[in-house]
Amino acid sequence: MNQPGSTRVENPQGFIHTGPGNIYVNGGPHLQDSDKPTFRRVAEDQLCRLRRVLVAPINMGKARATLADTGTVILDGAPGSGRTATARVLLREWHRDSGVFHELLPGEEDELALHDPHLVGSGDQLLLDLSAAADRQWSAALADLPALRKAVHEQHAHLVVVMPHDGTLDPDLQYYRVEIQRPPGLQVLRRHLRMHGLPYEQYMQYDVIADEFVRADRPMREIADFADLVRRARETVRPDEGFTQWCAAAKRARNDRRREVAALVAELREAPQRALLIAVSMLHGAHADVIHRATQLLLRTLRSPSDGVPLLQHKDLAEQFREISADTGPSGHVRFTELDYDSALRAHFWDHMPDLRPHLGSWATTVVDLNDPHAVPAVRDSLVARLAGQYLRTGRGDALASLAERWSVESTGGARLEAAVHALTWGLDDPTHGREFRRRIYKWCVHGRLRGEFAQVLVRVCADVLAASHPDQALLRLYYLARRERDTTRARQALYDLVAGSPRLRRRLLDRLARSDLSPPDLDIFLRVSDPVPLTESSGTSRALAEENEVQRSLTTSWHAVLSELPRATWQPHAERWLHQAAASPGQRGELLLDLLVGAAERCGKRRGEVFATLYASAREAERAAPGGPARSVEATELLLHKISVAQGLGPAAPPPASARGTQP
């Protein structure tokens, strides 16, 4: 069932390839809470696996050298040569703690323009994939590319651009262009087979089918698909069969089986038989107990009447499985005897019984809730992935999104929430529907009625999935969720974790806060993200965030709102951290923190005298809790008092000498 332009979800633990030359590695979300944000682990795992499976295309070395020398490389190459996979691996090689991976999406409504210098952070790894761009979009990107390259150079970042094949390129950019060519197909196939765990002595032997397949100049995607079929054939055939038989089964599975499965369905007309066909196709590889219970649940969902036959006269499972060309192995797990039969049957029932579709969503809910020792998370994840594959394959992303929302709202436990996250993940990762899902999630975060546990599902999707490749979009969505948060702090914590790894994202959030209405939720977020330590640290560049004029304006605006509108008990602990950091930071950076506090207080109009006094009193209190003793903190307090006096026109502009500070009680 290889149909051009379709989306096929076969094995959510394997490699999913969804377009010529582009390799999408989906390992399934790992959503357990931990000390580190999950999205970092997911992104790292995906990129590391991609690096191991990629066979370097011709001119990979030249691309690597160009990127190292200039910070920019523009990849060209025929579709199917592995351009985007190569781009991701090149960027993975420049991963540093100071930057984040960021896939640029010019033209989306909540993305910064390519010429905006704030798009690039120190040490970032930027991917601009325009391999499928139309002439107009490519021309617009070329106009912005000089400004983007300048920002990349200044921030010691790295940029890989994937250009349209044979697209035009300005003469001054030709130096950065590297044309890659597909690597040997047999080598690619063997690398995938090795990564799938096949024995060396098997995949290294010559096979006519495999040789004919790779000699046809297949796109990297098709070779990866064939390797996955060989892997699954190995898992289902008899122990005495080897590589030759596995390749033969993979070749048969690539044939169009629509007529074959249509004939089988027409032959099996009884409701229990068809329910079993659907259950096995959607839960392929699950234990027979799960298949049996899922079949009964489907019949109940469809309100099929009982046959009234006494229990002992029913066909046993072995006979029922034989009728539908399925079998159980020694471990009791059910699979069709013919490879890839499951995906063909899923497509058949979905395409030719459209009235069945809404019932399959309801049925999947009951299976997700199934209390059975064999209904392990991998089984649930596979079910959601296969159901999502049918929605996405037929352009029904809206129905998949609605199903995920319903699972979140009606959740009776963690299983449905995990299913909802998994469903939205497949939507976001789909190259055709990803933009639609990003837009939909934005609307939910900003305006949606977040009932039940839906807000927590959105938090996890933004932090664990979206942030891995689109951190700016994740930032904006988490910000809106954090503003609306009442009974939990998960959105805020996810937001803090996201900006902790990127000064650029912290700068953008501070700017967003300063331009907001600075409501109490905004001020609470500000007090947490304005930690003075990352504000005064250098991160690969010569300037700290607090030394940037735009950041200073954002900090002053927000601190003014804090001092004007919040009680002292709320802001005192945060001001204390600023005062302690001012005392601990040598030179101008420590003094700058005091200037920002005084500047914010000075804006308080008629209340500024009262705010100055409160700020000074807070500094004196902070001396007692100063890390490393009060001596340097006393100096900072006296310097603060001097700045307050200057702001009020009560003292000389020159600060007192350091030796004279701290002498007054």
Side-chain angles (χ1 to χ4, degrees), residues 456-535:
Q456 303 314 314
V457 167
L458 293 176
V459 168
R460 301 180 85 174
V461 167
C462 292
D464 295 353
V465 183
L466 194 58
S469 55
H470 306 98
D472 289 64
Q473 295 204 9
L475 176 84
L476 194 61
R477 287 151 180 76
L478 288 171
Y479 162 69
Y480 283 115
L481 289 171
R483 293 186 78 197
R484 304 175 64 182
E485 202 166 40
R486 295 296 179 266
D487 299 327
T488 72
T489 59
R490 293 178 184 173
R492 297 181 189 190
Q493 188 58 53
L495 185 61
Y496 308 148
D497 290 338
L498 180 59
V499 302
S502 172
R504 181 183 68 84
L505 294 178
R506 190 182 298 272
R507 179 194 302 114
R508 190 172 185 191
L509 179 56
L510 289 170
D511 176 69
R512 166 70 62 170
L513 289 165
R515 291 188 292 105
S516 70
D517 57 8
L518 289 171
S519 61
D522 287 309
L523 297 180
D524 182 67
I525 295 171
F526 166 74
L527 288 173
R528 290 287 301 273
V529 300
S530 60
D531 187 328
V533 175
L535 289 175

Side-chain angles (χ1 to χ4, degrees), residues 341-370:
Y341 230 56
D342 56 314
S343 66
L345 280 165
R346 286 194 296 272
H348 175 86
F349 280 111
W350 190 270
D351 293 344
H352 299 290
M353 290 189 172
D355 293 339
L356 188 63
R357 296 170 188 169
H359 297 289
L360 288 178
S362 301
W363 167 72
T365 305
T366 64
V367 177
V368 164
D369 288 337
L370 199 58

Side-chain angles (χ1 to χ4, degrees), residues 5 33 95 107 117 121 123 154 176 181 229 235 241 245 310 325 329 389-391 409 448 527 609 645:
D33 293 332
H95 170 73
E154 291 174 347
Y176 306 96
Q181 300 175 26
L229 287 172
E235 295 175 352
E241 296 181 336
Q245 288 77 24
S325 300
Q390 298 308 310
Y391 280 115
V409 172
L527 288 173
S645 299

Side-chain angles (χ1 to χ4, degrees), residues 414-448:
R416 283 198 201 181
L417 297 182
E418 297 290 336
V421 171
H422 208 50
L424 292 177
T425 297
W426 283 105
L428 286 170
D429 285 346
D430 186 82
T432 302
H433 300 278
R435 181 170 183 171
E436 170 196 344
F437 272 79
R438 290 192 294 271
R439 184 185 299 116
R440 184 180 295 272
I441 289 173
Y442 175 84
K443 291 180 179 179
W444 275 329
C445 293
V446 179
H447 306 296

Side-chain angles (χ1 to χ4, degrees), residues 63 65-74 145 148-150 152-153 157-161 173 175-177:
T66 303
L67 184 62
D69 292 343
T70 68
T72 300
V73 65
I74 302 174
L145 203 52
L148 177 59
R149 286 191 55 251
K150 181 175 183 292
V152 166
H153 177 75
H158 292 85
L159 167 68
V160 178
V161 180
L173 293 175
Y175 176 78
Y176 306 96
R177 175 181 172 271

Side-chain angles (χ1 to χ4, degrees), residues 177-314:
R177 175 181 172 271
V178 175
E179 183 174 4
I180 65 170
Q181 300 175 26
R182 65 188 305 276
L186 184 59
Q187 189 176 349
V188 174
L189 177 64
R190 287 174 172 174
R191 176 70 61 84
H192 278 278
L193 294 174
R194 178 164 67 87
M195 291 299 298
H196 284 315
L198 270 71
Y200 173 86
E201 61 274 11
Q202 290 281 355
Y203 68 76
M204 287 300 295
Q205 65 177 269
Y206 175 80
D207 180 77
V208 175
I209 293 176
D211 185 67
E212 290 178 350
F213 180 82
V214 297
R215 286 184 182 277
D217 286 338
R218 308 277 183 177
M220 297 297 100
R221 166 185 54 85
E222 291 190 20
I223 295 177
D225 285 343
F226 186 79
D228 189 61
L229 287 172
V230 173
R231 174 194 63 81
R232 289 191 284 130
R234 179 193 177 216
E235 295 175 352
T236 57
V237 297
R238 296 189 301 272
D240 59 330
E241 296 181 336
F243 187 62
T244 299
Q245 288 77 24
W246 305 339
C247 290
K251 180 181 179 180
R252 291 196 302 272
R254 287 178 53 82
N255 297 330
D256 189 342
R257 285 184 154 156
R258 285 178 293 182
R259 292 184 179 179
E260 189 177 345
V261 298
L264 178 65
V265 173
E267 180 183 345
L268 303 176
R269 308 197 65 84
E270 296 181 8
Q273 293 174 316
R274 292 185 170 183
L276 185 61
L277 272 175
I278 294 171
V280 174
S281 69
M282 297 296 289
L283 293 161
H284 199 245
H287 193 274
D289 288 355
V290 175
I291 298 291
H292 173 65
R293 294 193 62 184
T295 303
Q296 300 306 310
L297 289 171
L298 180 56
L299 290 170
R300 191 179 307 165
T301 301
L302 298 173
R303 295 185 174 86
S304 295
S306 173
D307 57 11
V309 177
L311 181 60
L312 290 178
Q313 295 182 23
H314 284 185

Side-chain angles (χ1 to χ4, degrees), residues 22-228:
N22 302 315
I23 301 179
Y24 293 80
V25 185
N26 295 280
H30 303 285
L31 302 171
Q32 296 81 11
D33 293 332
S34 70
D35 294 335
K36 277 191 173 183
T38 304
F39 70 82
R40 294 181 184 172
R41 292 199 308 272
V42 172
E44 279 295 296
D45 180 64
Q46 289 179 347
L47 288 174
C48 287
R49 292 174 67 182
L50 180 57
R51 187 180 183 184
R52 291 196 300 269
V53 80
L54 179 75
V55 175
I58 298 172
N59 284 332
M60 175 78 163
K62 182 181 179 181
R64 185 180 284 117
T66 303
L67 184 62
D69 292 343
T70 68
T72 300
V73 65
I74 302 174
L75 293 183
D76 193 4
S81 59
R83 294 166 296 171
T84 302
T86 301
R88 291 175 182 270
V89 170
L90 287 170
L91 291 171
R92 173 65 182 82
E93 294 174 350
W94 284 99
H95 170 73
R96 300 292 185 272
D97 292 337
S98 61
V100 298
F101 175 79
H102 185 186
E103 184 173 353
L104 306 179
L105 297 170
E108 291 205 9
E109 60 275 6
D110 50 353
E111 283 280 314
L112 294 175
L114 292 180
H115 60 261
D116 192 322
H118 294 152
L119 186 66
V120 186
S122 176
D124 281 357
Q125 307 100 49
L126 307 174
L127 171 62
L128 179 58
D129 183 6
L130 295 173
S131 56
D135 291 344
R136 183 175 180 180
Q137 186 183 10
W138 174 237
S139 298
L142 284 177
D144 289 338
L145 203 52
L148 177 59
R149 286 191 55 251
K150 181 175 183 292
V152 166
H153 177 75
E154 291 174 347
Q155 295 293 336
H156 305 288
H158 292 85
L159 167 68
V160 178
V161 180
V162 185
M163 65 177 289
H165 184 45
D166 293 333
T168 58
L169 198 62
D170 297 339
D172 58 336
L173 293 175
Q174 288 290 344
Y175 176 78
Y176 306 96
R177 175 181 172 271
V178 175
E179 183 174 4
I180 65 170
Q181 300 175 26
R182 65 188 305 276
L186 184 59
Q187 189 176 349
V188 174
L189 177 64
R190 287 174 172 174
R191 176 70 61 84
H192 278 278
L193 294 174
R194 178 164 67 87
M195 291 299 298
H196 284 315
L198 270 71
Y200 173 86
E201 61 274 11
Q202 290 281 355
Y203 68 76
M204 287 300 295
Q205 65 177 269
Y206 175 80
D207 180 77
V208 175
I209 293 176
D211 185 67
E212 290 178 350
F213 180 82
V214 297
R215 286 184 182 277
D217 286 338
R218 308 277 183 177
M220 297 297 100
R221 166 185 54 85
E222 291 190 20
I223 295 177
D225 285 343
F226 186 79
D228 189 61

